[in-house]
């Protein structure tokens, strides 16, 4: 395992190559009281956009003990609406205050004409969209003064207009904008099942050096008379098939900081810690093989 | 080929306006029709925004029941689309919406209960603020005290209702074993919603004098006018004691005197 991470006055500053968990309000007290043995924590940036109060107070106390990653869900990077400067300013203040090791957003959009769906909507994978995303990610990185990671999302439709695959689009974006990739292995699996592609193809197309974080989560299967659709619900354990794909990803990319996400129907903290330990075991195997 | 902005405009129209004719031709119909794929996003958006409303308005939800709440939320989402990528900003117009929402007309107190919950939500996320500096106040000459304009803490809100909304709120908390029956004839209430320095939020029922004093401060009246309003509202109002109490508990945080010799005494917000 890596050496003890460097520490600033805020708390540990770098993210170790271990599993972390998503921190949600329901677990604030349990995390402070039990200090679970996870490598790092990730929060949704927008949950700390308030001017003050308990969320920020808890985050400050918890930050003293864990490295932190800020994961945005609302910047709407891929939208053609103007970039929301107030949103970015709040994010920048949060970064200055909490000194996260990683900052990430999604390969998606969320608004048109000023109306927000507050969802992670898929993009058409066209040259026009690629130019747009390269420009927007670059603009965000310039304003924040640091590189960000961009995460692939689960999708339930594809556009007739797409001329590139999602994996080629993401690889090109990372190359041209100089951003990192947050590879969500569950999202690859969900989209692969929904659209009928081979998830291994996706992994093979992403450059080794680009991936700086991996996400794992649970999905829900909605079954109908004429088929099924997988929905990215983050409300249950990681599926065995996703663990298998994760092993493939760790084999290809090497040991990478990995996050267990769980956002609704939250179980006890110990369940998340157990999932993180499973991921740690897979990372350890890879470390051992590399040694 | 349609431009990216045109595809996004059609997507949002399909989800929010139910107008998917313009969008479905752009969806690859592999196995499932475009209409059913759009429906997945319609569900996700409705669930996400309804969830945001439920998080802010748990008491309204409990009062009307889950089914009715989801129905009202769907109508609200139609009329008040989200305007921010931060879901915490969603739902501020629900009290006004409920006032004109015919199916809820039988529950006259519901909009005011919603106002109480939105105030709680705002106070929960408000900035911290340093308390008032008593030494600065002591330096103001007695003859000029009437000109002072006091400011309220960012985590303080004032609410007035002809209904007993505090009792309704208290009787409908998640941990209440059964919904308490509240007699609407017990009358209205004037409230201060305030988050203390400990970050605990308290509802303080106020008498007329204290309520009007603080509301006058919130409306930027000077101290003389605020005192006059308070005394007019309540003849036996113990102004010095009540004013000192609000300074001591941090509700009154600063004052301005429109005078170059007395710049703002505001010791500032902090997150």
């Amino acid at each position: 395992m890596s050496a003890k991470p460097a520490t600033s006055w805020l708390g540990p500053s770098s993210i170790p190559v271990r599993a972390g968990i998503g921190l949600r309000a329901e677990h604030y007290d349990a995390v402070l009281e039990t200090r679970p043995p996870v490598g790092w924590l990730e929060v949704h940036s927008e949950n700390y956009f308030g001017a003050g109060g308990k969320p920020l107070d808890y985050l400050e106390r918890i930050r003293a003990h864990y490295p932190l990653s800020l994961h945005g869900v609302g910047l709407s990077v891929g939208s053609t609406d103007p970039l929301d400067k107030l949103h970015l300013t709040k994010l920048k203040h949060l970064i200055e205050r909490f000194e996260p090791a990683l900052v990430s957003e999604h390969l998606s959009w969320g608004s048109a004409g000023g109306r927000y769906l507050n969802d992670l909507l898929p993009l058409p994978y066209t040259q026009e969209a690629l130019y747009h995303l390269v420009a927007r990610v670059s603009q965000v990185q310039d304003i924040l003064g640091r590189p960000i990671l961009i995460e692939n999302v689960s999708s339930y439709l594809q556009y007739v207009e797409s001329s590139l695959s999602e994996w080629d689009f993401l690889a090109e974006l990372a190359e041209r904008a100089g951003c990192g990739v947050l590879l969500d292995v569950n999202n690859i699996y969900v989209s692969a099942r929904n659209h009928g592609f081979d998830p291994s193809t996706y992994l093979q197309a992403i450059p080794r050096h680009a991936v700086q974080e991996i996400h794992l989560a649970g999905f829900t299967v909605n079954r109908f008379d004429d088929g099924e659709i997988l929905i990215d619900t983050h409300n249950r354990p990681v599926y065995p098939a996703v663990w298998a794909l994760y092993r493939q990803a760790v084999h290809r990319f090497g040991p990478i900081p990995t996050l267990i996400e769980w956002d609704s129907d939250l179980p006890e903290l110990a369940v998340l810690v157990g999932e993180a330990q499973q991921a740690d075991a897979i990372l350890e195997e890879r470390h051992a093989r590399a040694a | 080929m349609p431009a990216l902005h045109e595809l996004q405009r059609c997507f949002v129209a399909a989800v929010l306006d139910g107008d998917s004719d313009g969008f479905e031709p752009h969806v690859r119909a592999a196995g499932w029709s475009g209409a059913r794929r759009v429906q997945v996003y319609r569900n996700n958006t409705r669930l996400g925004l309804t969830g945001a409303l439920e998080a802010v308005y748990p008491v309204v939800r409990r009062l009307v029941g889950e089914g009715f709440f989801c129905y009202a939320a769907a109508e609200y989402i139609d009329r008040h689309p989200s305007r921010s990528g931060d879901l915490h900003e969603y739902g501020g117009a629900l009290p006004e919406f409920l006032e004109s929402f015919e199916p809820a007309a039988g529950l006259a107190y519901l909009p005011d209960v919603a106002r109480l919950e939105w105030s709680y939500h705002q106070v929960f996320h408000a900035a911290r603020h340093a308390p008032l500096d008593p030494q600065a106040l002591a330096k103001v000459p007695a003859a000029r005290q009437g000109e002072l304009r006091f400011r309220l803490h960012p985590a303080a809100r004032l609410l007035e209702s002809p209904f007993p909304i505090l009792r309704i709120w208290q009787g409908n908390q998640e941990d209440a074993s059964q919904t308490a029956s509240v007699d609407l004839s017990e009358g209205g209430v004037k409230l201060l919603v305030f988050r203390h320095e400990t970050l605990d939020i308290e509802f303080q029922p106020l008498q007329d004098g204290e309520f009007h004093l603080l509301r006058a401060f919130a409306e930027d009246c000077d101290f003389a006018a605020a005192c006059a309003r308070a005394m007019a509202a309540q003849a036996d109002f113990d102004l010095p004691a009540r004013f000192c109490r609000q300074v001591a508990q941090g509700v009154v945080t600063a004052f301005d005197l429109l005078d170059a010799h007395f710049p703002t005494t505001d010791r500032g917000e902090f997150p």
Side-chain angles (χ1 to χ4, degrees):
Chain A
M1 282 304 202
S2 55
K4 193 174 160 47
T7 300
S8 83
W9 66 273
L10 277 170
S13 54
S14 62
I15 287 191
V17 183
R18 285 185 55 194
I21 59 174
L23 174 66
R24 302 294 172 258
E26 288 85 339
H27 291 149
Y28 286 156
D29 287 321
V31 166
L32 279 171
E33 283 158 21
T34 66
R35 303 266 193 84
V38 294
W40 52 288
L41 299 172
E42 183 168 278
V43 297
H44 285 176
S45 313
E46 290 80 3
N47 287 346
Y48 303 88
F49 274 11
K54 278 191 177 168
L56 287 161
D57 185 65
Y58 270 111
L59 189 59
E60 191 155 73
R61 285 191 278 151
I62 292 170
R63 174 73 182 87
H65 305 292
Y66 293 94
L68 182 70
S69 163
L70 290 182
H71 185 53
V73 296
L75 186 56
S76 193
V77 178
S79 174
T80 53
D81 280 352
L83 204 50
D84 183 344
K85 294 288 170 55
L86 180 60
H87 194 106
L88 265 174
T89 301
K90 288 178 180 175
L91 179 57
K92 193 169 169 130
H93 287 161
L94 208 55
I95 291 169
E96 283 163 1
R97 177 164 174 189
F98 290 99
E99 298 180 9
L102 295 171
V103 176
S104 52
E105 252 293 349
H106 294 87
L107 184 65
S108 69
W109 62 284
S111 79
R115 294 195 294 171
Y116 284 76
L117 303 190
N118 300 91
D119 193 4
L120 304 169
L121 309 172
L123 287 157
Y125 301 122
T126 61
Q127 288 298 334
E128 183 205 2
L130 182 58
Y131 289 133
H132 182 63
L133 265 286
V134 169
R136 293 272 282 209
V137 170
S138 303
Q139 195 184 355
V140 170
Q141 294 183 139
D142 286 349
I143 292 171
L144 297 180
R146 61 182 290 158
I148 62 170
L149 311 186
I150 292 290
E151 177 188 347
N152 58 298
V153 299
S154 287
S155 67
Y156 315 111
L157 63 77
Q158 293 177 305
Y159 296 82
V160 170
E161 287 79 8
S162 287
S163 54
L164 295 164
S165 62
E166 183 176 300
W167 44 92
D168 287 339
F169 190 96
L170 183 57
E172 274 295 309
L173 173 63
E175 174 68 25
R176 295 195 205 175
C179 62
V181 170
L182 194 181
L183 202 65
D184 189 314
V185 171
N186 181 62
N187 287 346
I188 293 179
Y189 182 81
V190 165
S191 293
R193 284 270 300 267
N194 287 341
H195 305 311
F197 62 78
D198 177 0
S200 307
T201 310
Y202 203 125
L203 297 183
Q204 293 307 318
I206 303 297
R208 276 204 175 82
H209 61 89
V211 179
Q212 293 174 38
E213 182 183 341
I214 290 178
H215 271 183
L216 293 171
F219 58 80
T220 298
V221 184
N222 285 359
R223 290 198 172 81
F224 300 89
D225 291 341
D226 57 347
E228 59 179 31
I229 193 156
L230 272 54
I231 310 284
D232 178 35
T233 44
H234 296 187
N235 65 344
R236 47 159 297 130
V238 177
Y239 270 87
V242 174
W243 281 120
L245 190 59
Y246 175 59
R247 279 177 190 278
Q248 277 188 48
V250 171
H251 179 75
R252 172 169 169 74
F253 300 105
I256 301 279
T258 301
L259 187 87
I260 302 295
E261 287 187 294
W262 203 312
D263 292 310
S264 55
D265 307 329
L266 276 178
E268 284 180 19
L269 181 59
V271 176
L272 270 74
V273 175
E275 294 273 287
Q277 281 164 349
Q278 282 195 58
D280 269 335
I282 293 170
L283 291 170
E284 286 280 8
E285 280 172 30
R286 185 65 170 78
H287 272 295
R289 223 171 330 132
Chain B
M1 191 165 78
L4 179 59
H5 73 86
E6 181 58 17
L7 282 176
Q8 293 183 338
R9 190 192 63 75
C10 291
F11 195 131
V12 167
V15 171
L16 288 183
D17 309 329
D19 169 21
S20 38
D21 290 351
F23 184 64
E24 280 172 30
H26 304 293
V27 180
R28 203 173 280 177
W32 277 19
S33 67
R36 281 176 77 184
R37 292 179 181 278
V38 168
Q39 190 57 40
V40 174
Y41 286 98
R42 217 171 268 151
N43 285 344
N44 281 357
T45 294
R46 189 175 43 77
L47 287 174
L49 294 176
T50 301
L53 294 174
E54 283 174 333
V56 177
Y57 297 104
V59 172
V60 169
R61 183 178 183 275
R62 184 169 163 134
L63 287 168
V64 301
E66 185 184 352
F68 188 92
F69 188 87
C70 289
Y71 162 58
E75 293 289 315
Y76 180 78
I77 293 164
D78 272 353
R79 289 185 222 172
H80 298 271
S82 169
R83 295 284 175 188
S84 168
D86 177 2
L87 265 183
H88 298 89
E89 293 179 16
Y90 192 61
L94 192 75
E96 290 69 35
F97 165 82
L98 289 173
E99 257 169 10
S100 60
F101 188 52
E102 192 59 34
L107 303 175
Y109 51 85
L110 202 60
D112 281 350
V113 173
R115 275 187 191 95
L116 183 70
E117 293 199 284
W118 185 255
S119 296
Y120 185 95
H121 175 66
Q122 288 182 304
V123 162
F124 184 84
H125 291 288
R128 284 186 162 177
H129 200 291
L132 186 134
D133 178 2
Q135 292 187 345
L137 192 54
K139 286 182 194 154
V140 177
R144 303 208 54 192
Q145 284 171 358
E147 296 167 48
L148 295 172
R149 288 170 202 271
F150 288 99
R151 289 197 220 153
L152 301 187
H153 194 289
R157 293 289 181 287
L158 294 159
L159 271 176
E160 183 178 21
S161 173
F163 304 104
I165 53 171
L166 179 55
R167 293 252 296 119
I168 293 170
W169 188 89
Q170 287 166 337
N172 287 281
Q173 291 303 296
E174 207 172 290
D175 54 6
S177 55
Q178 56 187 53
T179 305
S181 67
V182 178
D183 183 359
L184 290 182
S185 69
E186 69 182 68
V189 66
K190 293 183 174 66
L191 280 178
L192 167 67
V193 185
F194 180 59
R195 194 191 66 205
H196 291 275
E197 196 44 38
T198 58
L199 302 180
D200 294 317
I201 296 173
E202 188 188 2
F203 294 113
Q204 293 177 0
L206 301 181
Q207 291 203 315
D208 289 353
E210 198 167 12
F211 181 82
H212 284 281
L213 182 74
L214 294 181
R215 189 151 81 179
F217 292 161
E219 292 171 3
D220 205 30
C221 293
D222 66 25
F223 191 48
C227 292
R229 275 212 216 167
M231 296 311 295
Q234 186 186 341
D236 66 345
F237 179 46
D238 184 356
L239 199 148
R242 292 284 144 176
F243 175 73
C244 289
R245 176 177 94 114
Q246 294 301 351
V247 171
Q249 71 171 358
V251 170
V252 177
T253 53
F255 61 84
D256 295 303
L257 190 58
L258 302 177
D259 184 325
H261 297 294
F262 287 95
T264 177
T265 59
D266 192 337
R267 292 200 285 188
E269 290 187 359
F270 50 94

